[in-house]
């Protein structure tokens, strides 16, 4: 690559590239040449120039320095993997000779990860088992950790324990801490609760803040919820030790601890039960992008967002007066088209069956969120959203892959409820100021944008009956995905689309049953609290006021996931972020929008774009915006004639 063709690199990096490009086989030794290509590949890879990284790595030949050659092969595999060329990455990593080198162990670890993502768990375990401690202690520790996780899924707890115990602190302190945490989880599940608490208490903050927080949270919840090991002081102290995490949980649970200690009524127990019901429901509703219903790809691996052509341009283009594309925005609740937002949950819990609709709440809290859907190419949503010049079906459907969202198994708790991270009782929601853990200085990027968030499927309720529907993919999407493919089941060949749809329906039916059961428990706990509150209110108005505030805070995460059944066709999922108006992340376009900006990059987390029937003229412009990516652009499959 000509040095003049490189853009966005600083002068120091450009100078380094220029000097390395001067090294040749003829003018220098083969050894120096191969080393220069290695260094060039690493620079190119670091700056996202993957094709160039592959090109210079391929210049290193087998007869050159063995270490340089093997490193080059590893780097080629890494670039292929980054580009989504999984088969090519697997092939080149598999050809690295078995020995005790770091390169071999890291390659096998990566092979295991890819095989695991593909659902080939047996092959994944074989690869992880080939990672050698002498080759790469860090890769060995991570391989043993992954191996243990898979063994747990298979019900082989003793084998998993052995794998976790193979991980030493000196190999990788972070992975060691996670292994100890998991050992504690299994011990607790087996009834060895005191031993589990002792294991969790030994996990140190400096080894892994994330795992330390998880351990403290488990110590707190076990000490609060387990009547045999109940210790309110230990529970509250554990919650207080959590740093920049579990903001919603620790705020609610510390207050519950303080209510349980002095009160002779059952309201503390009922509030604890309500909290458990809410967190259980959130887990049921979280979209798990890795879940498979068959051996095929994860069934809910992508979500779509409908928007206009102009917004799409801002999200993908590099404007003349801006260094980066516009960040993705989460707009406030006040811009929605459903006037029952936020009301249905409390109406249901209070037994109110009415069809009257109200304007959405507005109080000290800002309820910011963004809408996604399982329906990637929906004519109805094209007609409603992203309209240009008020013309129906003139927008874009942006289909995001799982990398755009927080992983299902996040360890930061309900991160979308941004209560202040302290143990003081405050009147309204306040905002945590994030700091850089190493420097202690304010992290400006973290303050200005929100981290990756989880996505929850909405629940559609009919306020006049017991009808419940969870947002989900529809049958048509399976037929569009698999077309006329067939699958062999025993001696019979059936439509793959029909097979996948039936398995998916079983998955959704179970999830709906789980939700319905948890929702009934939620209502029972709420009713019990309401009855106790009536008694407390007669004796202590101040206490009843505190309990009412706590009750509302416990229910807050569910409030905007319950929608009216009239909007069921949208099959909506929501990314929610709740915070106060004085949060520095909250920005505004005066008189139009209040919003927060999302840190994840749009362009490089897109899987596909659907162009609405009345926006087909924008196809070549979208192609230009997406140069250098593998994002597919498809015209909508829906026929539509403008009137």
């Amino acid at each position: 690559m000509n040095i003049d063709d490189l853009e966005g690199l600083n002068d120091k990096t450009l100078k380094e590239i220029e000097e390395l490009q001067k090294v040749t086989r003829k003018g220098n030794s083969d050894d120096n040449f191969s080393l220069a290509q290695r260094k060039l590949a690493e620079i190119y890879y670091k700056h996202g120039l993957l094709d160039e990284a592959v090109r210079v790595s391929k210049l290193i030949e087998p007869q050159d320095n063995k270490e340089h050659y093997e490193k080059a092969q590893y780097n080629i595999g890494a670039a292929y993997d980054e580009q989504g060329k999984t088969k090519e990455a697997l092939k080149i990593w598999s050809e690295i000779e078995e020995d005790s080198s770091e390169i071999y162990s890291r390659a096998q670890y990566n092979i295991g990860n890819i095989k695991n993502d593909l659902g080939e768990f047996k092959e994944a375990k074989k690869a992880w088992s080939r990672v050698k401690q002498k080759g790469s202690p860090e890769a060995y520790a991570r391989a043993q950790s992954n191996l243990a996780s898979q063994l747990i899924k298979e019900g082989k707890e003793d084998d998993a324990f052995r794998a976790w115990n193979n991980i030493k602190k000196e190999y990788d302190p972070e992975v060691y801490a996670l292994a100890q945490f998991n050992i504690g989880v299994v011990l607790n599940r087996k009834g060895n609760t005191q031993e589990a608490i002792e294991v969790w208490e030994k996990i140190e903050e400096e080894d892994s803040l994330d795992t330390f927080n998880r351990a403290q949270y488990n110590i707190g919840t076990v000490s609060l919820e387990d009547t045999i090991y109940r210790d309110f002081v230990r529970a509250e102290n554990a919650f207080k030790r959590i740093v920049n995490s579990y903001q919603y949980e620790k705020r609610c649970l510390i207050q519950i601890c303080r209510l349980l200690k002095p009160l002779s009524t059952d309201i503390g127990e009922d509030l604890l039960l309500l909290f458990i019901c809410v967190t259980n429901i959130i887990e049921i509703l979280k979209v798990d992008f890795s879940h498979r219903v068959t051996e095929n790809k994860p069934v809910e691996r992508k979500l779509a967002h409908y928007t206009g052509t102009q917004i799409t341009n801002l999200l993908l283009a590099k404007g003349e007066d801006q260094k980066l594309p516009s960040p993705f925005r989460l707009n406030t609740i006040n811009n929605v088209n459903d006037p029952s937002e936020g009301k249905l949950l409390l109406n249901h819990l209070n037994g109110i069956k009415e069809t009257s609709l109200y304007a959405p709440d507005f109080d000290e809290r800002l309820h910011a969120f963004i809408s996604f859907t399982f329906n990637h190419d929906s004519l109805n949503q094209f007609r409603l959203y992203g309209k240009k010049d008020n013309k129906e079906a003139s927008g874009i459907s942006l289909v995001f892959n799982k990398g755009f969202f927080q992983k299902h198994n996040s360890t930061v708790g309900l991160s979308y409820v941004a209560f202040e991270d302290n143990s003081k009782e405050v009147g309204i929601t306040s905002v945590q100021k994030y700091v850089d853990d190493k420097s202690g200085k304010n992290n400006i990027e973290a303050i200005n944008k929100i981290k990756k968030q989880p996505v929850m499927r909405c629940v559609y309720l009919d306020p006049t009956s017991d009808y419940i529907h969870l947002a989900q993919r529809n049958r048509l999407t399976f037929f569009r995905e698999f077309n006329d493919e067939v699958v062999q089941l025993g001696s019979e060949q059936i439509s793959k689309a029909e097979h996948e749809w039936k398995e998916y329906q079983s998955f959704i039916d179970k999830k709906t049953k789980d939700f319905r059961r948890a929702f009934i428990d939620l209502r029972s706990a709420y009713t019990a609290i309401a009855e106790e509150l009536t008694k407390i209110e007669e004796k202590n108005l101040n206490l009843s006021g505190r309990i009412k505030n706590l009750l509302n805070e416990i229910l807050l995460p569910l409030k905007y996931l319950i929608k009216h059944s009239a909007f069921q066709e949208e099959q909506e999922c929501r990314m929610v972020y709740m915070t106060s108006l004085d949060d520095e992340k909250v920005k505004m376009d005066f008189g139009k929008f209040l919003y927060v900006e999302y840190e994840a990059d749009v362009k490089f987390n897109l899987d596909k774009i659907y162009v609405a029937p009345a926006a087909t003229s924008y196809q070549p412009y979208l192609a230009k915006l997406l140069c250098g990516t593998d994002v597919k652009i498809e015209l909508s499959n829906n026929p539509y004639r403008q009137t």
Side-chain angles (χ1 to χ4, degrees):
M1 174 177 277
N2 192 304
I3 198 74
D4 295 330
D5 296 330
L6 296 171
E7 295 181 2
L9 303 182
N10 59 43
D11 291 340
K12 182 180 177 182
T13 303
L14 289 172
K15 183 67 175 175
E16 187 178 359
I17 292 172
E18 191 173 12
E19 291 301 315
L20 289 169
Q21 287 178 339
K22 292 177 182 177
V23 181
T24 64
R25 286 189 185 278
K26 189 173 182 180
N28 307 87
S29 66
D30 290 342
D31 195 55
N32 285 337
F33 175 78
S34 59
L35 177 60
Q37 304 318 300
R38 261 188 63 184
K39 290 181 177 180
L40 276 172
E42 289 166 4
I43 293 171
Y44 290 145
Y45 184 88
K46 178 181 177 181
H47 293 281
L49 301 168
L50 301 180
D51 288 336
E52 280 302 298
V54 170
R55 183 185 67 79
V56 296
S57 294
K58 286 183 176 180
L59 296 175
I60 303 175
E61 299 174 353
Q63 62 269 27
D64 290 331
N65 180 290
K66 183 182 178 183
E67 180 188 350
H68 295 169
Y69 178 72
E70 287 189 347
K71 179 68 173 176
Q73 296 305 295
Y74 179 87
N75 288 342
I76 292 170
Y80 283 156
D81 188 37
E82 190 82 12
Q83 292 173 317
K85 300 175 181 178
T86 306
K87 289 182 180 179
E88 291 90 336
L90 283 174
K91 183 177 185 299
I92 202 160
W93 279 331
S94 298
E95 291 173 353
I96 294 175
E97 293 182 11
E98 181 173 359
D99 55 21
S100 297
S101 70
E102 178 186 0
I103 296 301
Y104 173 76
S105 289
R106 288 173 61 188
Q108 290 300 315
Y109 171 69
N110 291 342
I111 290 170
N113 290 346
I114 291 177
K115 292 291 185 181
N116 184 64
D117 288 342
L118 293 172
E120 299 174 15
F121 305 120
K122 187 176 180 180
E123 292 303 312
K125 288 192 296 181
K126 284 182 181 178
W128 288 328
S129 297
R130 286 193 287 263
V131 178
K132 303 179 188 303
Q133 182 268 320
K134 289 182 179 178
S136 172
E138 182 182 349
Y140 175 78
R142 294 180 182 276
Q144 291 295 304
S145 178
N146 290 352
L147 189 59
S149 296
Q150 182 56 38
L151 290 167
I152 284 291
K153 292 176 185 176
E154 296 172 3
K156 300 175 181 177
E157 286 189 346
D158 291 340
D159 291 338
F161 259 76
R162 279 191 287 273
W164 281 323
N165 282 319
N166 286 335
I167 301 169
K168 306 303 178 187
K169 189 171 183 177
E170 58 267 28
Y171 299 165
D172 188 316
E174 185 176 351
V175 179
Y176 170 77
L178 180 60
Q180 294 302 301
F181 173 81
N182 288 329
I183 288 171
V185 170
V186 176
L187 287 171
N188 184 52
R189 189 165 62 237
K190 287 183 172 183
N192 302 323
T193 303
Q194 188 56 46
E195 191 178 346
I197 291 173
E198 290 171 3
V199 170
W200 289 329
E201 285 179 336
K202 292 177 182 176
I203 295 172
E204 298 180 356
E205 184 178 342
E206 56 266 29
D207 291 338
S208 170
L209 179 61
D210 180 67
T211 306
F212 171 80
N213 284 336
R214 294 174 69 186
Q216 294 303 316
Y217 182 70
N218 277 18
I219 292 169
T221 53
V222 168
S223 300
L224 184 57
E225 296 172 15
D226 192 317
T227 54
I228 297 175
Y229 294 94
R230 177 166 275 183
D231 184 332
F232 297 125
V233 174
R234 181 173 62 193
E236 186 171 341
N237 287 338
F239 294 135
K240 286 179 179 178
R241 283 193 288 269
I242 295 172
V243 182
N244 291 352
S245 190
Y246 295 101
Q247 297 176 62
Y248 161 79
E249 291 89 343
K250 67 183 288 186
R251 181 185 176 96
C252 293
L253 290 172
I254 285 174
Q255 293 182 75
I256 290 171
C257 279
R258 294 173 183 176
L259 282 170
L260 277 168
K261 279 189 286 188
L263 290 181
S264 58
T265 66
D266 293 329
I267 198 162
E269 298 288 355
D270 292 328
L271 285 164
L272 178 59
L273 178 58
L274 186 78
F275 170 83
I276 293 170
C277 289
V278 169
T279 53
N280 285 344
I281 289 172
I282 291 296
E283 283 304 307
I284 292 168
L285 298 182
K286 272 186 185 177
V287 177
D288 182 354
F289 295 96
S290 64
H291 182 79
R292 289 174 164 83
V293 297
T294 65
E295 292 183 356
N296 194 54
K297 295 177 181 178
V299 70
E300 293 178 340
R301 61 193 182 277
K302 296 179 286 190
L303 293 173
H305 173 67
Y306 288 80
T307 189
T309 52
Q310 185 58 34
I311 296 297
T312 301
N313 177 50
L314 291 173
L315 291 171
L316 301 179
K318 181 184 286 187
E320 294 179 0
D321 58 347
Q322 60 185 47
K323 294 181 180 179
L324 296 172
S326 173
F328 196 71
R329 293 179 177 180
L330 281 70
N331 292 321
T332 65
I333 187 67
N334 297 82
N335 300 117
V336 301
N337 59 359
D338 179 1
S340 66
E341 288 282 0
K343 299 287 186 181
L344 283 177
L345 176 62
L346 287 178
N347 281 358
H348 175 84
L349 294 177
N350 287 305
I352 299 171
K353 292 188 175 183
E354 62 172 73
T355 57
S356 302
L357 303 179
Y358 310 90
D361 284 342
F362 183 83
D363 56 21
E364 310 93 56
R365 295 183 180 91
L366 166 71
H367 306 281
F369 69 94
I370 198 73
S371 168
F372 296 89
T373 176
F374 288 116
N375 293 337
H376 302 170
D377 182 16
S378 164
L379 179 58
N380 184 54
Q381 295 195 57
F382 272 133
R383 294 181 68 182
L384 288 172
Y385 305 113
K387 292 186 283 189
K388 181 175 175 58
D389 299 327
N390 212 30
K391 182 190 292 186
E392 290 186 350
S394 60
I396 303 294
S397 168
L398 303 174
V399 183
F400 290 95
N401 59 39
K402 63 181 181 180
F404 193 64
F405 312 102
Q406 185 188 88
K407 291 182 179 179
H408 175 66
N409 60 347
S410 168
T411 58
V412 295
L414 298 187
S415 60
Y416 60 87
V417 185
F419 288 132
E420 185 175 15
D421 190 16
N422 60 34
S423 304
K424 299 176 183 177
E425 295 182 21
V426 292
I428 63 170
T429 305
S430 52
V431 182
Q432 172 191 354
K433 299 296 188 290
Y434 290 88
V435 297
D436 186 295
D437 291 330
K438 294 180 180 178
S439 68
K441 297 178 180 178
N442 283 338
N443 185 326
I444 302 302
E445 186 70 16
I447 290 174
N448 291 335
K449 295 179 184 176
I450 64 170
K451 302 289 185 182
K452 287 184 181 180
Q453 299 296 308
V455 181
M456 278 72 63
R457 68 186 79 233
C458 289
V459 179
Y460 296 92
L461 296 186
D462 175 25
T464 64
S465 69
D466 292 327
Y467 177 81
I468 288 175
H469 174 88
L470 270 60
Q472 57 194 262
R473 288 180 62 178
N474 62 39
R475 187 164 174 257
L476 174 61
T477 64
F478 286 87
F479 281 83
R480 283 184 171 173
E481 180 178 351
F482 296 108
N483 296 311
D484 56 357
E485 291 184 54
V486 296
V487 61
Q488 190 78 33
L489 291 180
S491 59
E492 184 182 5
Q493 276 194 342
I494 66 169
S495 161
K496 189 171 184 178
E498 196 66 56
H499 173 63
E500 293 283 335
W501 163 247
K502 287 180 179 178
E503 292 296 319
Y504 179 65
Q505 277 300 103
S506 297
F507 162 71
I508 290 295
D509 288 345
K510 181 183 183 306
K511 192 169 280 290
T512 303
K513 284 182 182 178
D514 291 344
F515 172 82
R516 192 180 291 275
R517 192 180 301 115
F519 209 48
I520 291 170
D521 291 342
L522 181 82
R523 186 170 178 178
S524 297
Y526 182 88
T527 302
I529 292 167
E531 291 173 357
E532 287 291 323
L533 261 175
T534 302
K535 300 174 187 176
I536 294 172
E537 200 165 17
E538 295 173 358
K539 301 176 182 179
N540 191 333
L541 274 174
N542 182 52
L543 178 60
S544 69
R546 285 172 53 205
I547 293 172
K548 284 179 181 178
N549 285 339
L550 175 57
L551 178 60
N552 288 331
E553 288 183 354
I554 292 173
L555 292 172
L556 189 58
L558 282 183
K559 196 173 181 182
Y560 295 104
L561 299 180
I562 309 299
K563 287 180 61 69
H564 198 287
S565 55
F567 295 87
Q568 175 181 315
E569 186 182 344
E570 294 184 353
Q571 303 297 353
E572 185 180 351
C573 297
R574 283 185 167 175
M575 178 189 290
V576 186
Y577 184 78
M578 300 182 184
T579 189
S580 62
L581 290 175
D582 62 358
D583 187 343
E584 293 180 55
K585 296 182 183 68
V586 179
K587 299 176 175 61
M588 71 174 175
D589 185 349
F590 189 76
K592 295 180 180 179
F593 299 106
L594 288 168
Y595 62 90
V596 292
E597 293 181 339
Y598 193 59
E599 73 163 2
D601 183 88
V602 171
K603 181 183 290 188
F604 295 103
N605 284 298
L606 280 178
D607 178 81
K608 185 182 291 187
I609 283 181
Y610 284 101
V611 183
T616 56
S617 62
Y618 287 91
Q619 187 177 12
Y621 303 103
L622 293 169
K624 172 65 176 174
L625 291 174
L626 292 168
C627 281
T629 74
D630 296 324
V631 180
K632 297 176 182 176
I633 302 172
E634 292 191 15
L635 301 181
S636 173
N637 291 297
N638 299 297
Y640 182 72
R641 178 179 294 169
Q642 285 288 335
T643 57

